[in-house]
């Protein structure tokens, strides 16, 4: 049994405080063989339709070929067993691996469990072998499910003629579709990026004193998180920034660097199916993941909801807005390079002949509609647009940037009497070019702010607001320009550049004199 721990134990990447773990000869050879077989398996999985067709045409799916297939399978099995034994022998000769195994043994006894967990934090190894640090199902029933946002049921009637499209949409999204939307969940990409991820994780742990935790969701997915506690470093540290990465982003090398540079406390997490997180990043699983992460921040890390900022980049904006709708009292929401509706990004990237299939696949199985979701959140929100964005804009044209549509959708919902057709058309023209830092006087801004304060103090800040119903068009223009600049900011950059610290600010909020709060 002792040797089996080395054979079946997790892969060791690093012992912190030293260098990356370098496997010895036997372990290295065994790992290489197993990695090659795993690579072949992944390639075979993604090319399975072609492979199955090839084998069928060669006659391998008949009774006479069963013996041949059995011999091939047996040979591969023997190679796997021999490789695992070689790897186990090599690991047993590694001092670092032996220390890690001893720490894992300590977890089996309640008396030494905490000491074992502390010892294991000195190692970076396969996350599937990590113990659960927070299980959302352990909360009291009243705290388990904070989100009360009801999903809108589809009213699309079933048509027999559309059945082939329905089937094609389901098969497409369940196979390659979700991988195209979330390429970070592709294991081949993760294998290629793993050295960078390990290095980034080591930097967060060794230099920023980050703590890695496993969070278990309500649907039993294991979510890989990192927490950097800066509460002792000043006022910013009292605020926790929860970072939601893009569709190929990981907390190890992602957006956490910006709030960290400002000494905020930071909680990063990986989407389901990304690096250490289990599952697949379908919307329901992603929603459960971000809900569990926020619950972890509140009930385990000890942050009040009012001291949490939700920060989402690109497709992470959907996770962020869902969390905001579940926890509406958060300090604010920051959306960077985020779109309004993924359907309008997916359709131009697919053949026009498949438009119907794409629409069904998105609307039924991956309906990431940020504009619709933002209507469920009444708190402070700010948006950052990349002026050279090559992902959510067509041919880098500013007027096609989907962030424009998200901003106007939010503002039109919140201030319907200010953002009427003339003002929306005016704002669209404004957003067709880079925003000027200032095109109005401080006195004009003070006047606009005073109008908002007066209304909110009398009527409260519940959206949509009825302010502006009796305004003339010139006043609406002035207010619309003011509100757009307060909620929207340009960053001259492409989609994947790290956000500079000067662009990360607490979102604009309307000061209220008489103690009204969001309802």
């Amino acid at each position: 049994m002792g040797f089996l721990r080395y054979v079946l134990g997790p892969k060791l990447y690093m012992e912190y405080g030293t260098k990356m773990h370098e496997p010895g000869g036997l372990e290295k050879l065994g790992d290489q063989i197993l990695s090659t077989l795993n690579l072949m398996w992944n390639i075979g999985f993604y090319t399975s339709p072609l492979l199955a067709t090839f084998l069928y045409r060669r006659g391998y799916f008949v009774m006479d070929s069963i013996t041949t297939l059995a011999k091939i399978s047996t040979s591969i099995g023997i190679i796997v067993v021999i490789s695992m034994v070689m790897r186990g022998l090599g690991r047993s000769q590694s001092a670092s691996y032996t220390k890690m195994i001893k720490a894992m043994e300590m977890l089996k006894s309640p008396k030494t469990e905490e000491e074992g967990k502390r010892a294991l934090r000195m190692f970076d190894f396969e996350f599937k072998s990590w113990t659960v640090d927070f299980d959302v199902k352990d909360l009291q029933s009243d705290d388990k499910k904070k989100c009360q946002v009801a999903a809108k049921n589809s009213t699309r009637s079933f048509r027999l003629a559309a059945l082939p499209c329905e089937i094609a949409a389901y098969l497409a999204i369940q196979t390659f579709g979700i991988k195209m939307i979330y390429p970070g969940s592709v294991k081949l990409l993760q294998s290629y990026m793993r050295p960078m991820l390990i290095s980034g994780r080591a930097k967060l742990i060794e230099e920023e004193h980050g703590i890695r935790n496993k969070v278990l969701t309500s649907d039993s997915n294991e979510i890989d998180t990192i927490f950097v506690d800066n509460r002792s470093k000043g006022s910013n540290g009292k605020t926790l920034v929860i970072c939601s990465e893009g569709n190929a982003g990981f907390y190890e090398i992602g957006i956490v660097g910006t709030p960290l540079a400002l000494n905020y406390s930071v909680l990063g997490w990986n989407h389901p199916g990304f690096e250490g997180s289990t599952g697949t990043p379908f919307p329901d699983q992603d929603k459960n993941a971000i809900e569990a992460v926020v619950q972890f921040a509140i009930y385990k890390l000890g942050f009040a909801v009012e001291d949490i900022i939700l920060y989402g980049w690109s497709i992470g904006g959907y996770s962020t807005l869902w969390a905001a709708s579940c926890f509406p009292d958060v300090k604010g929401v920051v959306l960077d390079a985020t779109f309004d509706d993924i359907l309008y990004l997916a359709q131009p990237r697919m053949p026009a002949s498949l438009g119907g299939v794409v629409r069904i696949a998105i609307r039924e199985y991956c309906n990431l509609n940020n504009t619709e979701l933002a209507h469920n959140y009444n708190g402070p929100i700010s948006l950052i647009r990349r002026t050279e964005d090559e992902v959510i804009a067509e041919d880098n044209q500013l007027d096609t940037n989907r962030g424009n549509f998200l901003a106007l959708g939010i503002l039109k919902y919140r201030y319907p009497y200010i953002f009427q057709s003339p003002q929306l058309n005016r704002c669209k023209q404004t957003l067709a070019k880079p925003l000027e830092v200032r095109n109005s006087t401080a006195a004009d801004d003070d006047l606009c702010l005073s109008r908002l304060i007066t209304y909110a103090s009398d009527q409260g800040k519940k959206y949509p607001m009825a302010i502006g119903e009796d305004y003339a068009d010139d006043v609406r223009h002035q207010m619309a320009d003011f509100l757009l600049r307060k909620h929207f900011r340009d960053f001259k950059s492409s989609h994947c550049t790290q956000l500079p610290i000067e662009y990360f600010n607490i979102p604009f909020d309307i000061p209220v004199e008489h103690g009204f709060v969001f309802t």
Side-chain angles (χ1 to χ4, degrees), residues 154 156-174 177 181 282-283 341-343 346-347 350 353-368:
S154 174
R156 185 170 52 84
S157 60
F158 175 78
R159 292 178 299 166
L160 185 61
L163 184 59
C165 287
E166 299 272 358
I167 295 173
Y170 176 80
L171 293 176
I173 200 69
Q174 295 290 336
I181 296 172
F282 283 106
D341 185 345
I342 198 170
L343 177 64
Q347 284 184 324
M350 298 296 288
S353 59
L354 297 178
V357 175
V358 172
R359 174 174 285 276
I360 294 172
I362 294 296
R363 288 291 182 244
E364 292 298 309
Y365 306 108
C366 202
N367 190 26
L368 308 184

Side-chain angles (χ1 to χ4, degrees), residues 346-392:
Q347 284 184 324
R349 289 162 173 78
M350 298 296 288
S353 59
L354 297 178
V357 175
V358 172
R359 174 174 285 276
I360 294 172
I362 294 296
R363 288 291 182 244
E364 292 298 309
Y365 306 108
C366 202
N367 190 26
L368 308 184
N369 191 324
N370 288 326
T371 300
E372 183 180 277
L373 198 54
H375 294 172
N376 298 314
Y377 170 63
N378 273 338
I381 188 169
S382 68
L383 295 90
I384 300 164
R385 178 180 68 170
R386 309 298 184 97
T387 58
E388 299 172 0
D389 201 310
E390 73 284 10
V391 175
I392 65 169

Side-chain angles (χ1 to χ4, degrees), residues 8 78 86 93 130 140-141 163 167 190 231 262 295 318 326 333 361 374 409 420 454 502:
L8 303 176
I78 292 172
M86 291 170 58
Q93 298 169 12
W130 199 277
Q140 297 295 325
S141 58
L163 184 59
I167 295 173
Q190 292 180 28
R231 281 176 281 197
L262 292 167
Q295 301 275 28
Y318 182 80
C326 297
V333 166
Q420 296 186 356
T454 300
E502 60 267 25

Side-chain angles (χ1 to χ4, degrees), residues 20-183:
M20 193 172 293
H21 174 65
E22 294 291 341
L26 283 174
E27 182 183 359
K28 186 175 182 179
L29 180 58
D31 271 339
Q32 285 178 341
I33 296 173
L34 292 171
S35 297
T36 301
L37 292 174
N38 185 59
L39 177 64
M40 293 171 61
W41 170 262
N42 283 322
I43 293 174
F45 175 80
Y46 290 115
T47 61
S48 54
L50 297 176
L51 187 60
T53 302
F54 173 79
L55 293 175
Y56 176 77
R57 289 180 176 177
R58 290 299 181 97
Y60 282 96
F61 290 161
V62 296
M63 292 298 295
D64 294 341
S65 300
I66 291 180
T67 303
T68 302
L69 291 174
K71 289 180 180 178
I72 294 174
S73 301
T74 302
S75 300
I76 293 174
I78 292 172
I79 293 172
V80 169
V81 171
I82 293 174
S83 300
M84 293 181 71
V85 170
M86 291 170 58
R87 186 177 67 179
L89 288 171
R91 288 174 172 178
S92 66
Q93 298 169 12
S94 167
S96 293
Y97 204 93
T98 299
K99 289 195 316 190
M100 186 184 75
I101 289 295
K102 289 180 179 178
M104 286 184 167
E105 287 297 303
M106 296 171 70
L107 298 178
K108 296 180 179 180
S109 171
K111 295 181 179 179
T112 58
E113 183 179 6
E114 288 303 317
E115 184 182 352
K117 285 184 177 180
R118 288 194 298 271
L120 276 178
R121 292 194 182 279
M122 297 303 298
F123 299 92
D124 190 340
F125 54 94
E126 286 179 303
F127 200 61
K128 64 182 180 181
S129 298
W130 199 277
T131 56
V132 173
D133 298 288
F134 177 79
D135 186 347
V136 75
K137 295 190 288 292
D138 289 340
L139 297 177
Q140 297 295 325
S141 58
D142 292 340
D143 297 323
K144 284 181 183 178
K145 197 73 174 176
K146 290 288 185 181
C147 195
Q148 302 298 323
V149 179
K152 293 185 178 180
N153 294 324
S154 174
T155 57
R156 185 170 52 84
S157 60
F158 175 78
R159 292 178 299 166
L160 185 61
L163 184 59
C165 287
E166 299 272 358
I167 295 173
Y170 176 80
L171 293 176
I173 200 69
Q174 295 290 336
T175 53
F176 64 86
I178 195 65
K179 304 294 184 183
M180 292 178 66
I181 296 172
Y182 285 93

Side-chain angles (χ1 to χ4, degrees), residues 231-246:
R231 281 176 281 197
S232 63
K233 290 187 177 181
S235 58
N236 276 6
K238 304 297 190 296
T239 298
L240 176 69
V241 180
I242 298 181
C243 301
S244 299
E245 301 289 343

